[in-house]
Amino acid sequence: MDKLHIDEHISRQFNEELEEVRSQVLHMGGIVEEQLSNVLKVLSGENVDLYRAVIDADAQVNTLEVDIDEECTRIVVRRQPAATDLRLVMAVSKTINELERIGDEAKRVAKMFRKGLGGMLNEDIRAELLLMGELVREMLRKVLDAFARTDVDTAVDVVKADKKVDKKYKKLIKKLIKLMSSDPEVIPVVINVLWAVRALERLGDRCQNIAEHVIYLVLGMDVRHIKLDDVLAEIDAQLEPDDEE
């Protein structure tokens, strides 16, 4: 699908402001992506001390959210954008909110492991948790790419991928419940694992939300709270060539 072209404006400075905002969103996304990558390294046992880096990065993510949101407000007041430009500003504002929450969820998982959770995971649970985490990391990578290239096709792929994350989530929950039933002594630790699993599932939801913002930015379609099949049908209908041309 062709990249969305932001209209050229009479004010060159306006163009630069919009591009700077987009760039800042991607910078923020890169930091969040690194947070998630570090969380998976902690989960795998590759480098458990990285939980500190995940937690410390949260302050930087929070600062970027505030700064970008303030710039969006200034653009609206100063430029009074319309059409695609207004959708871009709105999409940016919503996307940075989702990225900030993704950072929060990554920090939550890191804090669970700071409590000594890592050594209590059996290999089966750890493997399932890592697989789920890799699915979410791929969703985040793709949705940032979709935002950067204003690519609806990639955004739709992210929406579809959330279904896989949900399936992994349900599978893991069943395993953890079974584990608690068979050995009540592990319940306090397993509850922390449950919180970590829930955080990863929410990460997937946040990526799906960003994908929906990209679809809105490009096509002007609000696809929130619509079933996936209906979303795909609406997109196909909007993208169909005009037979009369």
Side-chain angles (χ1 to χ4, degrees):
M1 183 172 297
D2 291 339
K3 178 180 176 180
L4 175 70
H5 293 286
I6 304 299
D7 293 336
E8 291 295 325
H9 305 95
I10 295 176
S11 170
R12 178 180 177 184
Q13 186 178 358
F14 188 14
N15 286 325
E16 292 174 351
E17 288 170 359
L18 291 175
E19 288 304 317
E20 176 61 21
V21 164
R22 284 161 57 96
S23 177
Q24 284 297 303
V25 173
L26 294 174
H27 173 57
M28 182 180 178
I31 296 172
V32 172
E33 193 172 5
E34 184 176 13
Q35 278 185 292
L36 181 53
S37 178
N38 287 338
V39 161
L40 295 183
K41 290 177 182 177
V42 172
L43 288 175
S44 68
E46 179 182 339
N47 189 342
V48 295
D49 290 334
L50 278 175
Y51 77 82
R52 295 186 182 91
V54 176
I55 295 171
D56 291 345
D58 190 58
Q60 187 178 2
V61 171
N62 292 343
T63 299
L64 279 168
E65 182 197 18
V66 172
D67 290 347
I68 297 170
D69 202 39
E70 287 179 350
E71 181 58 25
C72 286
T73 300
R74 285 194 290 268
I75 288 174
V76 169
V77 172
R78 188 166 54 236
R79 305 297 184 184
Q80 298 183 350
T84 301
D85 296 331
L86 180 58
R87 294 207 307 269
L88 172 60
V89 174
M90 293 177 65
V92 164
S93 183
K94 292 176 181 179
T95 295
I96 60 173
N97 181 258
E98 298 293 348
L99 287 173
E100 189 275 332
R101 292 184 179 184
I102 289 173
D104 284 345
E105 298 295 351
K107 181 177 70 172
R108 185 170 291 112
V109 178
K111 285 185 173 180
M112 292 297 102
F113 277 76
R114 186 176 61 181
K115 298 177 181 180
L117 179 64
M120 300 299 293
L121 285 178
N122 65 49
E123 289 307 311
D124 182 40
I125 298 296
R126 186 190 299 275
E128 291 288 345
L129 200 55
L130 283 170
L131 183 56
M132 183 177 174
E134 289 292 347
L135 288 173
V136 173
R137 180 164 65 172
E138 180 64 10
M139 286 180 69
L140 180 57
R141 184 194 68 78
K142 291 183 74 171
V143 83
L144 290 173
D145 183 53
F147 180 89
R149 298 188 296 111
T150 54
D151 185 346
V152 169
D153 292 336
T154 301
V156 169
D157 287 343
V158 173
V159 174
K160 292 178 180 178
D162 191 53
K163 303 303 178 185
K164 295 180 181 178
V165 173
D166 290 343
K167 288 181 180 179
K168 287 293 180 185
Y169 170 70
K170 292 175 183 178
K171 182 179 179 181
L172 256 173
I173 292 297
K174 288 180 180 179
K175 284 190 174 185
L176 292 170
I177 291 174
K178 184 177 180 180
L179 183 59
M180 287 189 290
S181 299
S182 62
D183 186 1
E185 291 186 2
V186 304
I187 289 177
V189 174
V190 173
I191 287 176
N192 280 334
V193 181
L194 283 168
W195 279 113
V197 173
R198 177 57 176 154
L200 287 175
E201 190 273 337
R202 285 176 176 169
L203 281 168
D205 289 343
R206 300 297 180 191
C207 290
Q208 177 181 344
N209 291 346
I210 296 174
E212 291 171 351
H213 300 329
V214 172
I215 294 171
Y216 169 74
L217 166 60
V218 180
L219 301 178
M221 293 170 48
D222 189 344
V223 296
R224 294 173 297 174
H225 314 302
I226 301 177
K227 291 181 179 180
L228 179 58
D229 289 343
D230 294 336
V231 169
L232 296 176
E234 283 196 37
I235 291 175
D236 288 342
Q238 182 153 338
L239 295 177
E240 282 182 358
D242 191 340
D243 293 336
E244 294 181 0
E245 292 184 358

